[in-house]
């Protein structure tokens, strides 16, 4: 416990050391410490807590008696974090939630190892300074790996917790959500050093000062979106319709809600995910009814069809644009599907998941490419479906292809009484700030929300208990942000830091035996000792 040997941490060390000598209590402490950052996300939304939430976890891993124990602290803490930010999946995936958390938690094993390597004992100022760069980078490595769609996607990225903080949104426009994640872990590392390592307080304070200067420079110097007109958009939120005939009743409700928007001078009406449960080519009567609504409100209507297509085999989730004359031909088929929710990975091996949870009975079919849809008056929209709004690269691609408005059609009807709807809606603020484009998050069942080009909230959110249609005056913007222009440079920089660190450590390990000197002469085991002559 030398890491806590400073005057401030001495009492803490004595109390903690007694409990943490037990592997079981230490495991419980790691699980709890890893879960703490989840409180920074909605629904609690304690955004400020993100900047101190990792400190207990850092102190615990740094005090580990062995490297193996530090890695285990990282893994168990990662399990706690994954369970906390995905706890709302338990009613649907049951035991699979625990298995997924255990798998993804392994990504924090290297983080625990490096925390101990850099901060254990009495770290020198050099090691402390290295920790301020290396620990955020290895954390981001874990975020990048788990952001792969097959591992569940980038839900619960630490930087996403800052969706309502204006300075953080400015950073997002420069380096994406990755840059904010790096900042948060760096600040937590600084606090851990200030608390527990008197000798490292100078580099820690210097690191905090440099961080403040960098954030201030971004705040002052980063280009802001150039406002360029407005668009009037309506979001239609029907609510939950379960049971027999639910699809028909949902359609009737949305039809009535949309018809009430007549005369509101709209540019676009957006329905939520799975708002239409029938293929419009196979149900021309429904297509005609939506076209009649388009004529009544004077705007195109973007619906979302979740059905088996009549022209191709399989079930698709598709954003379909309908105008006064019927479907316009603009259609986007969802490309990134939710594991277990919309397809079962390795179904031949894991298909039994459908019998213990609410996994998909039949895999949805993936779309081929993103689509930018032309609307009236030169407006263009880039649709995303469901958790695709969590992927920074998808909205960035749409912006580079000319989308002036980003749209996400979603439904979290399975998770209405959890943190999931609010967390999902908050992602639209991050995507809006990254791209300098407004983003509307239209859901079937709430939470629905709209954010401006800087990530600021426009109008009011529609909660999960509301069945209504709301009109928003959405500011448009031109130009592109540094993030859209440069891309994931912050992530690449983090990977470069890790590569350089590994190279330096590998070189030190190679040179260490040489510094130890020449080894003594070897003895052959079967060699007989030489006896002196008598």
């Amino acid at each position: 416990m030398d890491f806590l040997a400073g005057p401030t941490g001495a009492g803490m060390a004595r109390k903690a050391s007694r409990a943490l000598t037990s592997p079981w209590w230490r495991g419980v402490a790691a699980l709890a410490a890893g879960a703490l950052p989840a409180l920074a996300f909605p629904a609690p939304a304690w955004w400020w807590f993100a900047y101190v939430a990792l400190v207990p976890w850092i102190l615990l891993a740094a005090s580990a008696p062995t490297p193996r124990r530090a890695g285990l602290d990282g893994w168990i803490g990662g399990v706690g974090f994954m369970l906390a930010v995905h706890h709302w999946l338990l009613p649907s995936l049951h035991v699979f939630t625990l298995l997924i958390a255990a798998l993804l938690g392994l990504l924090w094993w290297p983080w625990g190892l490096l925390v101990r390597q850099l901060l254990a004992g009495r770290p020198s100022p050099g090691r402390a300074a290295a920790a301020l760069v290396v620990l955020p980078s290895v954390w981001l490595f874990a975020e990048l790996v788990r952001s792969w769609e097959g591992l569940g996607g980038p839900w619960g990225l630490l930087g996403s917790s800052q969706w309502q903080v204006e300075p953080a949104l400015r950073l997002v426009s420069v380096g994406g959500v990755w840059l904010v994640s790096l900042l948060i872990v760096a600040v937590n590392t600084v606090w851990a050093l200030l608390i527990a390592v008197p000798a490292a307080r100078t580099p820690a304070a210097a690191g905090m000062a440099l961080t403040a200067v960098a954030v201030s420079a971004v705040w002052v110097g980063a280009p802001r979106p150039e406002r360029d007109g407005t668009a009037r958009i309506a979001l239609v939120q029907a609510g939950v319709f379960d049971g027999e005939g639910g699809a028909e009743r949902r359609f009737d409700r949305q039809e009535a809600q949309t018809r009430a928007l007549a005369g509101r001078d709209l540019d676009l009406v957006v329905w939520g995910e799975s708002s239409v449960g029938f293929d419009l080519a196979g149900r021309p009567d429904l297509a005609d009814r939506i076209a009649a609504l388009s004529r009544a409100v004077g705007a195109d209507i973007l619906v979302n069809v979740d059905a088996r297509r009549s022209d191709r085999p399989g079930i698709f989730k598709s954003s379909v644009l309908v105008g006064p004359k019927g479907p316009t031909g603009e259609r986007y088929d969802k490309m990134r599907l939710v594991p277990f929710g919309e397809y079962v990975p390795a179904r031949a091996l894991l298909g039994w998941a459908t019998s213990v949870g609410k996994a998909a009975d039949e895999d949805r079919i993936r779309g081929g490419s993103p689509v930018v849809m032309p609307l009236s008056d030169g407006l263009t929209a880039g649709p995303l479906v469901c958790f695709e709004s969590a992927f920074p690269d998808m909205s960035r691609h749409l912006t580079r292809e000319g989308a002036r408005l980003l749209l996400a059609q979603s439904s979290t009807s399975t998770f209405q009484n959890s943190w999931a709807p609010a967390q999902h809606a908050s992602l639209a603020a991050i995507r809006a700030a990254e791209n300098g484009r407004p983003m509307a998050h239209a859901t079937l069942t709430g939470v629905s929300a709209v954010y401006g080009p800087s990530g600021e909230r426009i109008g009011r959110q529609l909660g999960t208990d509301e069945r209504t249609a709301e009109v928003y005056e959405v500011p448009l913007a031109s130009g592109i942000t540094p993030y859209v222009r440069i891309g994931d440079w912050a992530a690449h920089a983090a990977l470069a830091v890790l590569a350089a660190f590994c190279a330096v450590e590998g070189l030190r390990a190679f040179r260490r035996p040489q510094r130890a000197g020449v080894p003594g002469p070897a003895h052959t085991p079967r060699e007989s000792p030489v006896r002196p002559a008598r």
Side-chain angles (χ1 to χ4, degrees), residues 128-306:
L132 296 178
V133 180
V134 173
L135 295 186
S137 298
V138 73
W139 179 283
L140 192 61
F141 173 78
E143 290 198 337
L144 290 169
V145 173
R146 73 181 182 86
S147 293
W148 177 49
E149 172 198 347
L151 292 178
W155 192 282
L157 300 181
L158 206 53
S160 296
S161 67
Q162 306 303 294
W163 62 278
Q164 56 186 330
V165 183
E166 189 174 354
L169 292 173
R170 294 282 288 151
L171 285 177
V172 161
S173 72
V174 174
V177 67
W178 316 116
L179 183 58
V180 182
S181 288
L182 289 171
L183 170 70
I184 291 172
V185 182
V187 171
N188 275 273
T189 306
V190 167
W191 285 124
L193 289 169
L194 291 174
I195 290 171
V197 187
R201 287 175 181 172
T202 298
M208 186 74 84
L210 287 174
T211 299
V213 170
V215 173
S216 300
V218 170
W219 174 262
V220 173
R224 300 178 184 269
E226 300 177 7
R227 299 304 171 95
D228 186 17
T230 60
R232 287 179 61 82
I233 300 169
L235 306 187
V236 175
Q237 184 171 296
V240 179
F241 287 87
D242 293 326
E244 185 177 354
E248 292 85 352
R249 289 185 286 116
R250 180 187 304 120
F251 189 95
D252 293 343
R253 166 73 69 171
Q254 293 165 140
E255 185 178 36
Q257 290 172 321
T258 304
R259 194 173 298 280
L261 296 170
R264 301 290 297 274
D265 190 26
L266 299 174
D267 294 297
L268 180 66
V269 178
V270 186
W271 292 8
E273 180 189 10
S274 304
S275 49
V276 178
F278 309 94
D279 181 54
L280 293 181
R283 289 291 302 272
D285 58 317
L286 297 183
D288 291 342
R289 287 167 66 179
I290 301 173
L293 288 175
S294 175
R295 293 191 295 270
V297 301
D300 292 340
I301 301 174
L302 186 71
V303 302
N304 189 270
V305 177
D306 183 1

Side-chain angles (χ1 to χ4, degrees), residues 265-511:
D265 190 26
L266 299 174
D267 294 297
L268 180 66
V269 178
V270 186
W271 292 8
E273 180 189 10
S274 304
S275 49
V276 178
F278 309 94
D279 181 54
L280 293 181
R283 289 291 302 272
D285 58 317
L286 297 183
D288 291 342
R289 287 167 66 179
I290 301 173
L293 288 175
S294 175
R295 293 191 295 270
V297 301
D300 292 340
I301 301 174
L302 186 71
V303 302
N304 189 270
V305 177
D306 183 1
R308 195 176 303 278
R309 288 180 62 163
S310 58
D311 59 336
R312 294 173 59 183
I315 302 174
F316 289 77
K317 278 194 175 181
S318 306
S319 300
V320 178
L321 191 65
V322 181
K325 298 181 180 179
T328 64
E330 299 295 338
R331 178 188 187 111
Y332 167 66
D333 297 323
K334 185 178 182 182
M335 298 171 59
R336 295 184 181 173
L337 304 177
V338 180
F340 296 101
E342 293 169 336
Y343 78 102
V344 175
R347 183 176 286 273
L349 179 65
L350 301 177
W352 56 271
T354 59
S355 62
V356 298
K358 299 179 181 179
D361 292 326
E362 180 180 349
D363 293 348
R364 276 15 181 208
I365 307 299
R366 300 174 187 274
S369 61
V371 174
V372 175
M373 298 180 175
L375 306 175
S376 59
D377 299 327
L379 184 64
T380 51
L384 299 168
V385 182
C386 191
F387 92 141
E388 288 182 330
S389 66
F391 292 87
D393 65 300
M394 297 195 73
S395 53
R396 178 172 175 260
H397 179 85
L398 291 170
T399 301
R400 292 176 67 90
E401 291 297 313
R404 299 189 65 200
L405 172 66
L406 300 173
L407 303 171
Q409 294 175 295
S410 176
S411 172
T412 52
S413 57
T414 307
F415 312 109
Q416 289 297 278
N417 298 314
S418 72
W419 295 358
Q423 286 183 18
H424 201 178
S426 71
L427 295 176
I430 300 293
R431 301 288 87 81
E434 284 176 337
N435 294 278
R437 295 291 185 269
M439 185 164 188
H441 181 82
T443 71
L444 197 66
T445 56
V447 172
S448 296
V450 176
Y451 299 93
S454 297
E456 73 279 16
R457 184 184 295 175
I458 304 297
R460 71 183 189 94
Q461 287 188 338
L462 304 182
T464 56
D465 58 343
E466 296 187 68
R467 295 184 178 185
T468 187
E470 188 79 8
V471 177
Y472 297 86
E473 191 85 16
V474 181
L476 303 175
S478 59
I480 58 174
T481 64
Y483 175 71
V484 171
R485 182 182 297 110
I486 305 172
D488 298 324
W489 65 267
H492 298 153
L495 296 177
V497 166
L498 290 180
F501 178 78
C502 291
V504 170
E505 290 300 305
L507 186 61
R508 286 179 178 175
F510 177 76
R511 290 179 174 178

